[in-house]
């Protein structure tokens, strides 16, 4: 199946969920016009990143009527976006919501919340506990958020769940300006190449742009196919909506030519992991 | 010994976006830059004009009577080149009104006072022009504390605050700052004949390499010395960094309430209701 994935490399306004919702609606409508199957926004696309004490003020329950218009548009296109989730447990999470057919298909809570150097997410957010893989009408999707993408263990779980598409909704600040590309961009692209190749899945990386309190998010969104072709590259530093036209049959081809998934023995992994953890006690 | 050069084309674009967004997101569209005629302020003026357009920028020159006349000439070279509106505010009378009643005032006191007068002028001009003050501090001077607290350090944003002095030279060449300015001996020009490198006790090249090893690469004092850097220079860097840490932090508050400014009242700088 040939499908179009819209990558919404936006620059949200910090803390202004109303203006950001407008931007979401605008980008979604443009993607619908282009007949995209799904549109993917960055991490915390509705709120901005450097929230600190604002986190609790912009948090929303997933069924808040605030989302109504976005839910409506998801009757025409699947939508993945980032927001601060007010949990029923009254804890707030750095979450991603996947909408389809006017309803919530999945909510993913970021598992690895970086808290070092310039990052302080664990001061404000609760930690997610589960990786999900769910069906859509173009394949099985798994969502991860930013730092999660640097933990191969989480992508391995998506792989174990049979993911065809792994979405990485990100807010990666630029660092390293001595080479042709920012160092962080090289790191992400190398990781995506490796994951796409060995997990034989599409990697959908969507990163925001813009500055907040000195941090400059670099963008550089793209889709990497299991055949290692890059699609829909959005360039760096500028807000952009790009489209990656991909052939889902590439996954099938890859898994025949390089049948890692067929060889995989997940119960062996489970046993070994349990033994290793037991030995560490 | 280590290469600190950067992809200056990309750095230029990144900083241009930074200036634009940080100023716009804080509700302004215009800026003032205090222009001395040195490489830091010239570079910042080029970048700010790049980001906002020359009509939205004012260069303010604030000479004191003992400043080298070449400084103002170089500043004029820059404003002519950029076609940026400028103003010259001679601070000699204001400063001398204070200095004349003080006996035996030494260079550092004089220099700091002049830097703080310039700060006061600059913030007044910023208000007059409904704009923000763009700072010109670089990473070397921020880390070495080689600048006047609440003087030249006072600004709304620091576009070149993550560039070492040697990288400032690299970016200045990239954006087209006149070669004469890039090549001249660095001087804060707070008193006649002042020379940064002489006063600091090492060249910027040496200082920047040691700073990079310690700050960015997290090497220890002994590791840096074992790489072949002079112990005396490494010492200067370490001493200066720790002696001047107060300049780089918010002053401590005696906390006793549930939420205290700077400690746990934590709103981002760039949020506007």
């Amino acid at each position: 199946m040939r499908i179009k994935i819209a990558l919404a490399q936006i620059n949200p306004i910090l803390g202004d969920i109303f203006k950001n919702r407008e931007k979401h609606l605008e980008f979604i409508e443009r993607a619908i016009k282009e007949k995209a199957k799904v549109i993917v926004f960055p991490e915390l696309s509705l709120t901005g990143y450097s929230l600190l004490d604002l986190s609790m003020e912009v948090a929303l329950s997933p069924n808040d009527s605030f989302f109504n218009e976005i839910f409506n548009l998801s009757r025409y296109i699947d939508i993945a976006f980032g927001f601060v989730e007010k949990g029923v447990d009254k804890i707030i999470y750095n979450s991603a919501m996947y909408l389809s057919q006017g309803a919530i298909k999945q909510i993913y809570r970021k598992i690895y919340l970086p808290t070092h150097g310039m990052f302080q997410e664990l001061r404000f957010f609760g930690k997610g506990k589960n990786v999900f893989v769910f069906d859509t009408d173009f394949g099985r999707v798994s969502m991860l958020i930013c730092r999660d993408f640097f933990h191969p263990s989480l992508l391995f779980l998506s792989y174990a769940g049979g993911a065809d598409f792994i979405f990485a909704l990100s807010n990666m600040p630029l660092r390293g300006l001595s080479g042709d590309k920012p160092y962080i961009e090289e790191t992400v692209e190398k990781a995506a190449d490796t994951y796409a190749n060995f997990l034989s899945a599409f990697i959908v990386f969507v990163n925001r742009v813009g500055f907040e309190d000195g941090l400059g998010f670099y963008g550089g969104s793209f889709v990497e196919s299991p055949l290692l072709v890059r699609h829909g590259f959005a360039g760096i530093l500028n807000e952009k909506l790009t489209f990656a036209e991909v052939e889902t049959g590439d996954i099938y081809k890859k898994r025949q030519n390089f049948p890692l998934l067929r060889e995989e023995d997940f119960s062996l992994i489970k046993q070994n992991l349990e033994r290793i953890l037991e030995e560490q006690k | 010994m280590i290469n600190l050069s950067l992809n200056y084309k990309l750095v230029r674009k990144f900083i241009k976006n930074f200036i634009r967004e940080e100023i716009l997101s804080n509700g302004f569209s215009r800026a003032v830059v205090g222009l001395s005629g040195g490489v830091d302020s010239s570079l910042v003026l080029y970048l700010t004009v790049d980001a906002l357009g020359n009509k939205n920028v004012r260069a303010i020159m604030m000479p004191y009577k003992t400043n080298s006349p070449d400084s103002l000439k170089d500043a004029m070279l820059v404003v002519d080149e950029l076609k940026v509106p400028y103003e010259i505010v001679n601070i000699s009378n204001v400063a001398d009104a204070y200095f004349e009643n003080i006996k035996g005032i030494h260079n550092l006191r004089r220099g700091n006072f002049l830097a703080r007068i310039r700060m006061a002028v600059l913030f007044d001009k910023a208000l007059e022009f409904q704009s923000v003050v763009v700072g010109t501090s670089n990473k070397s001077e921020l880390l070495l504390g080689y600048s006047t607290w609440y003087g030249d350090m006072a600004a709304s944003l620091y576009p070149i605050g993550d560039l070492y002095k040697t990288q400032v030279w690299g970016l200045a060449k990239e954006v087209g700052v006149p070669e004469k300015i890039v090549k001249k001996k660095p001087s804060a020009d707070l008193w006649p004949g002042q020379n940064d490198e002489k006063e600091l006790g090492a060249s910027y090249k040496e200082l920047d390499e040691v700073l990079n090893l310690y700050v960015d690469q997290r090497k220890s004092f002994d590791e840096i010395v074992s790489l072949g850097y002079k112990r005396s220079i490494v010492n200067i860097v370490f001493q200066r960094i720790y002696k001047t840490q107060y300049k780089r932090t918010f002053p401590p508050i005696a906390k006793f309430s549930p939420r205290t400014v700077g400690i746990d009242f934590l709103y981002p700088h760039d949020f506007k209701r």
Side-chain angles (χ1 to χ4, degrees):
Chain A
M1 189 197 316
R2 234 183 143 64
I3 61 158
K4 220 185 239 186
I5 302 170
L7 311 176
Q9 180 169 295
I10 64 166
N11 180 3
I13 299 167
L14 185 59
D16 193 337
I17 55 175
F18 296 96
K19 283 200 182 128
N20 291 330
R21 180 177 58 184
E22 284 311 302
K23 185 167 278 183
H24 279 65
L25 296 172
E26 181 206 322
F27 273 65
I28 294 166
E29 275 163 10
R30 281 167 62 194
I32 291 172
K33 272 195 194 120
E34 294 288 329
K35 300 194 166 49
K37 200 89 186 146
V38 55
I39 181 167
V40 186
F41 287 87
E43 173 185 17
L44 296 175
S45 54
L46 200 68
T47 60
Y49 181 76
S50 313
L51 293 162
L52 309 178
D53 277 355
L54 281 173
S55 307
M56 66 172 285
E57 296 173 28
V58 298
L60 291 164
S61 151
N63 48 26
D64 195 292
S65 61
F66 174 89
F67 293 113
N68 283 357
E69 287 170 275
I70 302 179
F71 273 64
N72 277 340
L73 289 181
S74 77
R75 287 184 287 127
Y76 310 101
I77 185 172
D78 286 5
I79 302 166
F81 68 95
F83 73 114
V84 179
E85 180 196 353
K86 190 191 285 179
V88 285
D89 52 10
K90 313 296 180 293
I91 291 173
I92 59 174
Y93 298 93
N94 177 343
S95 294
M97 191 172 345
Y98 191 102
L99 303 176
S100 186
Q101 311 294 330
I104 297 173
K105 184 118 200 174
Q106 191 63 252
I107 289 173
Y108 171 73
R109 294 172 173 168
K110 185 173 184 178
I111 292 178
Y112 291 119
L113 299 157
T115 304
H116 65 99
M118 64 180 134
F119 304 108
Q120 24 189 341
E121 292 182 33
L122 269 175
R123 281 183 87 173
F124 301 96
F125 295 122
K127 199 168 159 22
K129 293 190 176 80
N130 296 298
V131 170
F132 301 102
V133 183
F134 52 94
D135 283 316
T136 69
D137 56 13
F138 56 91
R140 286 173 74 71
V141 170
S142 184
M143 295 193 293
L144 298 174
I145 300 178
C146 206
R147 175 57 60 89
D148 294 338
F149 187 66
F150 289 156
H151 286 267
S153 47
L154 294 190
L155 287 103
F156 179 80
L157 294 177
S158 306
Y159 173 63
D164 299 314
F165 292 84
I166 298 173
F167 291 2
L169 291 77
S170 298
N171 273 189
M172 291 200 188
L174 180 143
R175 49 262 204 223
L177 278 176
S178 50
D180 287 343
K181 287 180 180 184
Y183 174 74
I184 183 71
E185 186 185 12
E186 293 215 11
T187 306
V188 166
E189 289 183 351
K190 277 181 196 159
D193 276 355
T194 308
Y195 293 143
N197 193 23
F198 296 107
L199 307 180
S200 53
F202 282 94
I203 302 297
V204 179
F205 174 79
V206 182
N207 189 29
R208 64 163 289 185
V209 291
F211 282 86
E212 282 177 5
D213 285 21
L215 301 187
F217 302 92
Y218 80 89
S221 309
F222 63 90
V223 174
E224 185 79 21
S225 86
L227 302 181
L228 304 188
V229 181
R230 201 159 292 164
H231 301 272
F233 178 60
I236 65 166
L237 303 181
N238 294 320
E239 193 168 76
K240 207 165 175 189
L241 176 65
T242 59
F243 297 92
E245 277 200 68
V246 303
E247 173 53 58
T248 58
D250 286 357
I251 306 167
Y252 180 68
K253 289 200 183 87
K254 180 75 174 208
R255 287 183 192 170
Q256 306 315 310
N257 290 339
F258 196 25
L260 298 181
L261 184 61
R262 200 176 70 204
E263 295 162 5
E264 205 68 58
D265 185 343
F266 293 108
S267 55
L268 176 149
I269 302 296
K270 184 180 174 216
Q271 284 158 19
N272 275 271
L273 190 57
E274 279 169 354
R275 178 184 50 78
I276 289 166
L277 293 176
E278 194 55 41
E279 284 167 7
Q280 279 177 2
K281 271 185 191 162
Chain B
M1 228 185 301
I2 48 175
N3 180 10
L4 293 181
S5 83
L6 298 170
N7 177 343
Y8 290 112
K9 267 194 180 41
L10 202 48
V11 174
R12 178 185 190 172
K13 189 172 177 200
F14 186 68
I15 295 180
K16 174 186 165 177
N17 286 8
F18 163 83
I19 294 172
R20 220 230 301 260
E21 283 198 38
E22 289 290 352
I23 289 178
L24 294 181
S25 72
N26 281 282
F28 289 88
S29 55
R30 304 201 278 195
V32 294
V33 179
L35 181 66
S36 68
V39 68
D40 300 284
S41 59
S42 300
L43 171 61
V44 168
L45 189 64
Y46 269 78
L47 294 166
T48 308
V49 166
D50 216 7
L52 304 176
N54 57 356
K55 289 193 179 64
N56 292 316
V57 183
R58 290 275 182 288
I60 313 291
M61 290 90 111
M62 295 163 284
Y64 179 67
K65 64 186 185 193
T66 61
N67 285 158
S68 147
D70 282 346
S71 297
L72 189 58
K73 268 191 222 157
D74 291 342
M76 288 304 299
L77 192 66
V78 171
V79 294
D80 286 347
E81 178 83 23
L82 290 172
K83 297 188 179 50
V84 68
Y86 66 93
E87 224 177 301
I88 300 174
V89 181
N90 193 305
I91 60 167
S92 304
N93 288 343
V94 180
D96 286 349
Y98 180 73
F99 291 149
E100 71 188 9
N101 297 316
I102 300 174
K103 278 196 193 114
I105 187 166
H106 56 69
N107 275 344
L108 184 61
R109 282 181 66 190
R110 262 179 202 280
N112 279 341
F113 191 76
L114 293 175
R116 290 181 179 126
I117 293 213
R118 291 192 175 106
M119 177 277 293
V121 171
L122 213 46
F123 275 83
D124 177 59
K125 290 292 165 193
L127 189 58
E128 183 191 11
F129 187 48
Q130 293 177 320
S131 61
V132 299
V133 175
V134 181
T136 61
S137 300
N138 62 53
K139 188 169 185 172
S140 310
E141 71 183 42
L142 285 173
L143 284 168
L144 297 170
Y146 190 61
S147 46
T148 301
W149 198 31
Y150 299 117
D152 52 311
M153 282 183 77
S156 294
L157 61 157
Y158 289 151
I160 59 168
D162 214 8
L163 289 175
Y164 290 113
K165 184 76 175 191
T166 46
Q167 296 169 330
V168 165
W169 289 324
L171 184 58
K173 271 188 222 155
E174 169 68 28
V175 306
V177 174
E179 201 181 348
K180 175 172 180 251
I181 295 175
V182 181
K183 289 218 162 132
K184 72 179 171 186
K185 280 239 169 314
S187 167
D189 201 12
L190 290 175
W191 53 85
Q194 190 186 15
N195 173 318
D196 288 7
E197 294 180 325
K198 218 152 103 198
E199 200 183 350
L200 288 164
S203 72
Y204 272 117
K205 188 179 178 312
E206 294 166 303
L207 294 166
D208 287 355
E209 290 188 15
V210 174
L211 284 168
N212 175 270
L213 287 164
Y214 175 58
V215 176
D216 301 289
Q217 301 191 41
R218 295 181 187 259
K219 301 259 191 242
S220 69
F221 186 101
D222 292 337
E223 284 172 321
I224 298 171
V225 171
S226 74
L227 288 168
Y229 291 89
K230 272 194 216 133
R231 186 172 283 274
S232 59
I233 292 176
V234 184
N235 218 11
I236 289 169
V237 170
F238 275 64
Q239 291 276 328
R240 286 206 70 112
I241 289 181
Y242 289 109
K243 260 196 187 151
T244 61
Q245 179 60 8
Y246 70 92
K247 294 187 183 182
R248 291 180 293 268
T249 58
F250 197 69
I253 291 177
K255 177 184 166 64
F256 57 87
S257 74
R259 282 177 92 196
T260 305
V261 173
I263 297 175
D264 40 25
F265 181 75
L266 296 173
Y267 284 88
H269 176 278
D270 290 350
F271 170 65
K272 293 286 166 288
R273 255 184 225 286

